[in-house]
Amino acid sequence: MTLLFPESIQNVLVTGGAGFIGGAVIRRLLTNTTATIFNLDKMGYSSDLTSIEKTVESNPNLISHHRLLNVDLCNEDATAQAIKQSNPDLVLHLAAETHVDRSIDGPHEFLKSNITGTYNLLQAVRSHWDQLPEERQKQFRFHHVSTDEVFGSLGLNGQFSEATPYAPRSPYSASKAASDHLVKAWHHTYGLPIVLTNCSNNYGPWQFPEKLIPLVILKALTKEPIPLYGDGSNIRDWLFVEDHVEGLLLAATNGEVGQSYCIGGSGERTNRQVVNTICDLLDKLHPSTNSYSRLIKQVADRPGHDRRYAINPKRINTELGWYPCHKFEVGLEKTVRWYLKNLNWCEKLSVKSCYKGERIGLIK
Ligand code: TDX
């Protein structure tokens, strides 16, 4: 798909660019624009630059277009320095702690990164934006990438939209909701030109294997029990990461200042359906003596487990013309094939991050 990206945007600061969604954003920008991409990342447990390194290796001209700034947004001075150094025309804020189960075990990290980190970034960006010449100031955008979890949990009917009141229920979603409020407050109070997107569950290549889809693929391949929380009937609305990237870049460059856009994949599935489909795909692509579905095991539910998320993407469909290209089963097959080819990467990441797929987020 062609990316309509204004040539006037020369410096882009992406926070969390060594993460799953941030990495996909950077790869898209590197291969389809001439902008210089400053990748601000604290290089935490799930940060990894392999996908960007591969993109850069395939075209050495890109080397000078990607600059890593190894900075933790909790460090106010380093954050201010990073903004000065990158002199951005556009900030895409994706840095966040994102795993609900980890937020149950250790909420403080989430409050620090997602709330204080966003506050430090907003302050540094505001002072940068204040000092920009008029033309650059007019076109400047701060794009905040958030989640549908800030809206809480749905029953069997209904969908989240931009008008849904906030009702977060996990330490993670509460911290993201707080960051959304800060971003909106910096717009209303200081006039900072912000755009916000709230997306549904992302999946695709390069996702850290603590999230459902990569975790299930790897558990199946190592013939370990596949943990299905509760009765497996919780529903998520799955969005292929590359479709999300198209939507968020469109919102960042063409969205209305001060507005938020919900981005969903129109891919509602129960967790049991997701897990069964992965097992069926593995039976087809990597057959074993027994079907992988025999490994599925119901385990204790996640504390406070949200029942259902679903997005009504009407605003981004009609106002910006965005639609997802991947039907869930198509995106899932691409993803399973990718993990089968990239088990070495998973192994290396597991060693580097000290995460071996163990259950987390149970209150003892
Ligand atoms: O082992 C598992 N077994 C299981 O049944 C895991 C890890 C999860 N689950 C369930 C819990 C959820 O209902 O699968 C569903 C998806 O779980 P996660 O992958 O942990 O995602 P979720 O909790 O839905 O939150 C995600 O979506 C919104 C992301 O983690 C967030 O970063 C995003 O903002």
Side-chain angles (χ1 to χ4, degrees):
M1 202 188 279
T2 337
L3 179 63
L4 294 172
F5 199 75
E7 277 188 15
S8 52
I9 302 180
Q10 289 180 357
N11 295 336
V12 183
L13 178 77
V14 180
T15 74
F20 165 52
I21 305 174
V25 168
I26 291 188
R27 295 194 303 276
R28 182 72 164 122
L29 291 175
L30 281 174
T31 43
N32 294 278
T33 75
T34 52
T36 300
I37 316 301
F38 293 86
N39 179 355
L40 184 158
D41 200 289
K42 70 176 177 182
M43 299 310 290
Y45 79 95
S46 62
S47 302
D48 186 73
L49 292 168
T50 313
S51 77
I52 295 171
E53 283 162 0
K54 281 192 173 206
T55 305
V56 169
E57 274 163 25
S58 70
N59 179 356
N61 292 335
L62 298 178
I63 293 177
S64 59
H65 284 265
H66 178 253
R67 315 255 171 93
L68 178 68
L69 304 172
N70 188 346
V71 166
D72 185 341
L73 291 175
C74 291
N75 183 333
E76 198 181 334
D77 293 341
T79 301
Q81 190 48 41
I83 299 297
K84 283 207 182 91
Q85 193 182 333
S86 55
N87 186 21
D89 301 296
L90 172 66
V91 174
L92 300 168
H93 179 34
L94 294 103
E97 291 293 334
T98 65
H99 191 39
V100 174
D101 292 333
R102 279 183 201 268
S103 83
I104 296 168
D105 285 344
H108 191 212
E109 254 334 287
F110 286 69
L111 271 56
K112 283 194 299 184
S113 286
N114 300 355
I115 306 177
T116 308
T118 299
Y119 162 74
N120 287 339
L121 181 66
L122 283 167
Q123 284 292 70
V125 168
R126 178 164 76 93
S127 111
H128 163 71
W129 172 74
D130 268 342
Q131 290 159 29
L132 284 176
E134 205 182 322
E135 258 322 287
R136 281 188 72 201
Q137 196 175 58
K138 250 197 264 164
Q139 62 148 39
F140 181 87
R141 295 288 180 275
F142 181 96
H143 181 96
H144 180 59
V145 176
S146 190
T147 165
D148 58 1
E149 293 192 28
V150 297
F151 303 122
S153 179
L154 292 165
L156 278 182
N157 299 309
Q159 288 179 316
F160 299 132
S161 77
E162 295 77 8
T164 307
Y166 277 51
R169 298 168 10 127
S170 74
Y172 160 66
S173 53
S175 70
K176 283 299 283 185
S179 70
D180 290 14
H181 291 313
L182 289 174
V183 170
K184 289 178 188 178
W186 259 241
H187 170 62
H188 287 290
T189 307
Y190 304 109
L192 190 70
I194 64 107
V195 178
L196 205 147
T197 46
N198 295 91
C199 67
S200 59
N201 283 58
N202 278 229
Y203 71 101
W206 304 106
Q207 187 169 31
F208 188 83
E210 63 190 349
K211 301 285 168 71
L212 179 69
I213 289 178
L215 184 99
V216 168
I217 299 170
L218 295 185
K219 289 282 181 198
L221 291 173
T222 50
K223 304 274 164 60
E224 289 175 63
I226 297 171
L228 190 59
Y229 295 176
D231 63 4
S233 66
N234 299 62
I235 293 173
R236 298 293 183 262
D237 178 357
W238 294 95
L239 172 63
F240 193 62
V241 65
E242 289 168 18
D243 288 336
H244 179 203
V245 169
E246 297 309 309
L248 79 85
L249 289 176
L250 203 55
T253 52
N254 289 288
E256 197 181 324
V257 169
Q259 286 293 346
S260 68
Y261 297 85
C262 284
I263 310 182
S266 301
E268 277 189 65
R269 300 288 184 278
T270 65
N271 291 338
R272 188 176 289 282
Q273 284 173 319
V274 172
V275 170
N276 280 333
T277 313
I278 294 172
C279 290
D280 291 347
L281 282 166
L282 285 172
D283 286 341
K284 179 176 92 171
L285 300 170
H286 195 265
S288 165
T289 336
N290 294 313
S291 167
Y292 290 97
S293 57
R294 289 175 64 166
L295 295 165
I296 299 171
K297 187 169 177 275
Q298 277 184 221
V299 296
D301 209 352
R302 168 186 284 171
H305 197 175
D306 286 339
R307 176 124 303 268
R308 176 172 164 256
Y309 306 143
I311 280 208
N312 176 350
K314 201 168 156 210
R315 174 179 279 169
I316 192 160
N317 293 163
T318 55
E319 292 182 20
L320 300 179
W322 174 88
Y323 292 88
C325 295
H326 293 80
K327 192 179 172 302
F328 179 63
E329 283 67 22
V330 174
L332 191 61
E333 176 154 351
K334 263 194 186 180
T335 306
V336 170
R337 284 183 187 277
W338 185 88
Y339 276 92
L340 281 169
K341 277 202 190 132
N342 288 276
L343 292 171
N344 272 348
W345 174 76
C346 299
E347 184 52 39
K348 275 193 206 144
L349 199 60
S350 160
V351 172
K352 194 171 80 171
S353 66
C354 299
Y355 179 65
K356 312 248 172 293
E358 61 274 18
R359 177 80 195 262
I360 45 184
L362 279 177
I363 303 164
K364 278 135 209 153

